[in-house]
Amino acid sequence: MSATRSPKVSERVAPKAADPQPQKKKRDDDDGPDFATLFRAWVESHRASLLDSLRRLGKQPIGSFFTCMVMAVALSLPMGLSLLLSNVERLGGSWQRAAQISLYLQLEASPAEGESLREQIKAIPGVAEAEYVGRDQALEEFQQQSGLGDALKELPENPLPGVVLVTPNEVDKPALEALRQKLSELPKVQQAQLDLVWVERLAAILKLGDRFVFGLTVLLVSALLLVIGNTIRLHIENRRTEIEVIKLVGGTDSYVRRPFLYMGALYGFGAGILSWGVLAFGLNWLNEAVVGLAGLYGSDFALAGVPVADGLPLLLGAVLLGYIGAWIAVARHLRELAPK
């Protein structure tokens, strides 16, 4: 009988404990899609919404054009008035001459002393220009303007003093009063006169213009929001069934809202472009009459067009208004379209 024992059946069947068991690989997809996939899906969703909005606006070209034109007219009114005020402020030289400080010199001041005083005044901060008018020149101008030439010739001597006309850098009442007080203390100056009534009138006119433009802007911006909101509401009503189906199958509010926001922004973009063109054409058309009127007064003043620094904010503001108006309209009506 052999001394070797045969292995048990259980030992033959059961695998060895030391043998490693093959394990299944863990899937990397358990954490969901990566950032690149999500970003591509987000971009594709926005691109599809933008193209869909363009396609829907293109199906109604006349209605879309007139909606943009109404918005453009509402944008052009306050912007046009603001540009006109800016052009008025460009007449700084004329306004400054209206606020000139007249320095009447002593009668014994010589022309050389007057010229020296003029050079001294030009170096003072806040002074844009200084002009010396001698006694003889002052008398000649007074004879021409008063019509009393023959009577003045009978006078034994010239009664008019020399004058230094000082043009300030800015038209500001406190600054002008301080400058007048400083100039009055200069040597050979007998009297320093400033017509503050002109300054006050100018400040009042510009302040009134700024307030009027601000009030008109608030009113027309409110009207623009109503126009774009009503337009987007009509688009929502036309797609009511489609939106309800999208929400029934799990579409989110942001997915439903996105095409209408793009539509509002496109309306604003079109309105901004049209408004820029309307303003450029209107100022160019008005400029012919302004140049003719300025020529009668010996001035070469002309209206400036719409600079890029003003046109780009106008365009961006129009897009933002369209976006905000669409957001308000969608937020208001989206709750009414919840699936039942």
Side-chain angles (χ1 to χ4, degrees), residues 47-112:
R47 187 185 70 85
S49 298
L50 176 60
L51 293 178
D52 179 69
S53 299
L54 286 171
R55 180 177 57 83
R56 292 180 184 275
L57 292 179
K59 285 184 176 180
Q60 301 175 345
I62 297 178
S64 301
F65 173 79
F66 279 108
T67 300
C68 292
M69 181 57 71
V70 169
M71 296 175 62
V73 171
L75 287 170
S76 300
L77 288 175
M79 189 65 183
L81 290 175
S82 178
L83 289 174
L84 287 177
L85 283 178
S86 299
N87 280 279
V88 169
E89 291 179 357
R90 284 179 53 232
L91 289 169
S94 299
W95 296 117
Q96 288 171 354
R97 283 191 291 272
Q100 277 182 340
I101 300 175
S102 300
L103 302 180
Y104 297 99
L105 307 183
Q106 299 173 359
L107 290 177
E108 61 270 15
S110 64

Side-chain angles (χ1 to χ4, degrees), residues 128-150:
E129 185 182 352
E131 178 186 0
Y132 172 67
V133 180
R135 298 181 62 189
D136 296 336
Q137 181 182 352
L139 180 61
E140 182 181 351
E141 292 179 357
F142 184 72
Q143 289 174 345
Q144 294 176 354
Q145 296 177 4
S146 64
L148 302 174
D150 296 335

Side-chain angles (χ1 to χ4, degrees), residues 43 53 66 91 149 157 182 187 243 327:
V43 172
S53 299
F66 279 108
L91 289 169
E157 60 179 8
K182 183 177 181 180
I243 294 172
W327 183 283

Side-chain angles (χ1 to χ4, degrees), residues 218-261:
V218 171
L219 290 176
L220 291 179
V221 164
S222 302
L224 279 176
L225 292 176
L226 291 176
V227 169
I228 192 65
N230 185 65
T231 303
I232 296 300
R233 183 185 65 81
L234 294 177
H235 285 285
I236 294 174
E237 290 297 330
N238 292 334
R239 300 175 61 180
R240 173 181 286 270
T241 304
E242 177 185 348
I243 294 172
E244 290 178 349
V245 171
I246 291 175
K247 293 181 73 66
L248 281 173
V249 298
T252 61
D253 289 347
S254 60
Y255 179 82
V256 175
R257 185 188 300 115
R258 191 176 299 130
F260 298 106
L261 297 182

